Amino acid sequence: MGLFEAWRTPPGPALYGEDRNPVMGDLIIVGLLVSFSMVMFSFLVGILPGIAGGWFKKLSLFLRVFYAIFIGTSLLVSIFGDGWMTDNITTEVYLKQFSNEEVHAKVGLHIGLRGCNITLKGDPIFQAIGANRTVNGSTIRESIEEINYNERYEFGDVQGRLGFGSQAGLAAIEFRAAQYRGAPLPILWILEYFTIDGEDLRWGRNFRQAGYYAHLLMWSAFSFWILSMALFTTAISSACFLLVLTGLIQIIACGVYAGMRDQHGPPLEIPIAEGAKIIPHYGWSFALTLFTGISCVLVGIVVYYLYLRYPEVLYEFFDHDILEEEDFLELQRTIDEGAGYSKTWGQKEQQEGITASGDIVKVPLGGDVEAGQQQQQQEEEHTYLRKSRRSKRVRSKSSQHGNAKRPNLQPLAEEEEQPSAAANGDMEMKKMSVGDALRNSIKRKKKSVTAEEETAISSAMEVDDSDKPGAPEMV
């Protein structure tokens, strides 16, 4: 006997019987769960321990990443899952046609957005099937068969013609293929209900249309989820609106699916045996989508409320710079106003104007010079407030984490204690002369100025100049 001739029957090669393995789980769902679990595990092990900062910063980062991964996983699992409508029963069923042989098995129907999954699992899995014969007074079964089936069938995008031809719907075509393949009788019996399309018996059409529109809404929600997670790193207020929109779309998807699945005819009830029916009810995918949608709406509203009432705490939680957020919102408000802006990249077209007091200001094309002066003064005041807020924020962070960890923050604090010439200029611009204000208002109203009013204006200017830093004292 040679090295490669063991268990072979000469002259041909060794032959083995068929080894059929049932599908134990949905590979797409398993792949999604494993992928997101690997991302979360890598974050917890490789990224989170290396984040600089205290426990609050690490906790906030963990909560943000965990919630983002949870929402994304829930959306994809609900899209590809077969748990929107489910039901399982355990009863005695006929396994094959034209046979009186019954088996004890568990029959299940799991309906998704784009198809359904039908299961048949024996209890026990290996059962004796076939004709009986008596030998020496004892009954012997002909064969022992494994009863463990898991079949998936697609609904398709169109209903198709009646019948089972090439122009029929995808469910009808797959039903005919299952008949030729010799699928068990309970699976064919359940699948046949989705091929009927006449009178008020349109269960296949109802589930196909409901799943089709819910499928589109779920992918839309997934797109808005990606945008909201991206905007949470730049603009919290806009991200809150997108997160609320993501939740609303998921809730609408659940409503559309629940309303369209029974739009024609009675609800689906499939009798399997005497006194045993499969009546699909809402499953885990529907509940997960509804829960995720409600949580997105609530989280978006709560975060936006904190953005309005406690912005500094929220910016610290998201590790944002409040000054960058204010600049972004100011730019967005200016673009929304649209006055004096060109259509290319929001570039502002300006011209120079001379005020009544002789100051040169930049105003939009065709704009009022006095209005441009007021706008320029408001921008200078806003710049001064931003610098003061930044210095206060730097002092608070240095007091929390220690000056040793932030060696470059001391010059910023000294800059606040010793204002630069630009800051002094901003403060002087802030203290606008009362006489200039009176003179501008008088000219705008086009009133005549009497000698007494000019005397009052000049006296007001002298009093105002005495309040400025560096002005000589009046004797």
Side-chain angles (χ1 to χ4, degrees):
M1 178 179 292
L3 181 61
F4 300 101
E5 296 180 0
W7 301 285
R8 295 176 184 269
T9 302
L15 299 176
Y16 300 95
E18 183 182 4
D19 186 13
R20 298 187 303 125
N21 296 320
V23 178
M24 304 304 296
D26 195 335
L27 295 181
I28 297 180
I29 302 300
V30 174
L32 290 173
L33 294 177
V34 170
S35 300
F36 282 100
S37 300
M38 291 175 61
V39 172
M40 192 65 193
F41 178 77
S42 302
F43 169 76
L44 292 176
V45 175
I47 300 178
L48 188 61
I51 298 297
W55 64 272
F56 180 78
K57 187 174 182 179
K58 293 183 178 181
L59 179 61
S60 62
L61 182 61
F62 168 77
L63 293 178
R64 298 199 311 268
V65 173
F66 175 78
Y67 188 73
I69 292 179
F70 170 75
I71 298 299
T73 307
S74 301
L75 285 169
L76 292 179
V77 168
S78 300
I79 290 172
F80 293 102
D82 292 327
W84 286 77
M85 302 286 292
T86 61
D87 192 21
N88 295 277
I89 60 171
T90 302
T91 183
E92 300 288 335
V93 295
Y94 293 104
L95 185 63
K96 301 178 181 179
Q97 293 184 358
F98 311 109
S99 175
N100 295 327
E101 198 78 25
E102 290 186 348
V103 295
H104 189 73
K106 181 179 180 181
V107 184
L109 173 61
H110 311 277
I111 303 175
L113 297 180
R114 308 297 291 157
C116 65
N117 189 271
I118 306 174
T119 60
L120 176 66
K121 188 174 183 179
D123 186 20
I125 294 179
F126 294 94
Q127 297 187 27
I129 304 297
N132 301 335
R133 59 195 180 100
T134 304
V135 178
N136 298 328
S138 61
T139 302
I140 300 177
R141 299 281 185 176
E142 288 294 335
S143 62
I144 296 178
E145 186 171 342
E146 179 183 3
I147 306 173
N148 194 357
Y149 296 89
N150 193 332
E151 302 281 342
R152 176 173 176 81
Y153 302 97
E154 300 290 339
F155 293 148
D157 295 330
V158 295
Q159 185 61 32
R161 299 179 182 179
L162 294 176
F164 304 96
S166 60
Q167 301 298 325
L170 185 58
I173 295 176
E174 291 190 350
F175 171 75
R176 180 64 72 182
Q179 284 183 321
Y180 281 111
R181 191 172 63 251
L185 181 60
I187 294 178
L188 295 175
W189 178 259
I190 294 174
L191 183 59
E192 188 176 7
Y193 275 77
F194 294 95
T195 63
I196 301 174
D197 189 60
E199 300 296 334
D200 286 337
L201 306 179
R202 300 178 183 270
W203 297 293
R205 179 187 294 268
N206 294 343
F207 281 103
R208 182 185 61 80
Q209 292 180 349
Y212 179 81
Y213 291 108
H215 185 260
L216 294 180
L217 290 171
M218 292 295 292
W219 276 117
S220 301
F222 183 77
S223 303
F224 283 115
W225 167 77
I226 294 177
L227 293 177
S228 65
M229 294 301 106
L231 283 179
F232 266 119
T233 61
T234 56
I236 298 178
S237 58
S238 302
C240 291
F241 289 117
L242 287 178
L243 186 61
V244 171
L245 184 59
T246 302
L248 290 177
I249 292 177
Q250 294 182 72
I251 296 174
I252 293 173
C254 293
V256 168
Y257 188 85
M260 296 187 67
R261 69 180 184 88
D262 292 331
Q263 59 180 336
H264 301 292
L268 179 61
E269 294 184 2
I270 305 176
I272 299 298
E274 185 177 356
K277 295 181 179 180
I278 288 183
I279 304 176
H281 55 273
Y282 296 114
W284 59 269
S285 295
F286 186 90
L288 180 62
T289 303
L290 187 61
F291 171 77
T292 306
I294 295 175
S295 68
C296 287
V297 173
L298 294 179
V299 170
I301 293 175
V302 170
V303 173
Y304 189 72
Y305 174 78
L306 294 176
Y307 171 78
L308 296 177
R309 297 298 300 271
Y310 309 100
E312 296 181 356
V313 178
L314 189 65
Y315 289 146
E316 186 178 0
F317 180 82
F318 282 96
D319 196 18
H320 275 207
D321 189 357
I322 188 173
L323 305 178
E324 295 179 358
E325 180 79 9
E326 289 180 356
D327 293 341
F328 178 82
L329 295 178
E330 184 68 23
L331 177 62
Q332 188 176 16
R333 283 193 297 266
T334 309
I335 293 176
D336 292 340
E337 291 174 359
Y341 276 77
S342 64
K343 296 182 180 179
T344 58
W345 295 97
Q347 185 178 1
K348 192 171 184 180
E349 300 176 357
Q350 295 180 341
Q351 65 180 1
E352 292 184 353
I354 302 177
T355 62
S357 59
D359 298 331
I360 299 177
V361 296
K362 291 184 178 181
V363 296
L365 290 176
D368 188 8
V369 177
E370 302 296 338
Q373 183 183 12
Q374 294 179 1
Q375 182 178 1
Q376 182 175 350
Q377 182 181 357
Q378 291 177 359
E379 292 177 356
E380 291 170 352
E381 292 178 358
H382 180 68
T383 303
Y384 175 75
L385 292 176
R386 288 177 66 248
K387 290 181 179 180
S388 61
R389 286 182 182 177
R390 185 177 184 86
S391 60
K392 291 180 181 178
R393 191 162 177 251
V394 167
R395 281 208 317 271
S396 63
K397 283 191 174 182
S398 61
S399 61
Q400 291 178 2
H401 304 288
N403 294 328
K405 296 183 180 180
R406 297 180 178 268
N408 297 327
L409 299 183
Q410 189 65 24
L412 293 177
E414 293 177 356
E415 184 181 357
E416 183 199 5
E417 295 175 358
Q418 299 177 0
S420 61
N424 291 330
D426 295 339
M427 295 176 65
E428 291 178 1
M429 289 296 297
K430 185 178 177 182
K431 296 181 179 180
M432 183 180 176
S433 171
V434 178
D436 293 340
L438 291 175
R439 189 176 289 111
N440 293 337
S441 63
I442 291 172
K443 289 184 178 181
R444 282 197 302 270
K445 295 179 181 178
K446 296 181 181 180
K447 291 183 178 180
S448 60
V449 182
T450 61
E452 296 179 356
E453 291 176 346
E454 289 183 354
T455 304
I457 290 172
S458 60
S459 61
M461 291 175 59
E462 292 175 357
V463 173
D464 183 65
D465 293 337
S466 63
D467 294 336
K468 293 183 180 180
E473 297 182 358
M474 299 298 294
V475 180

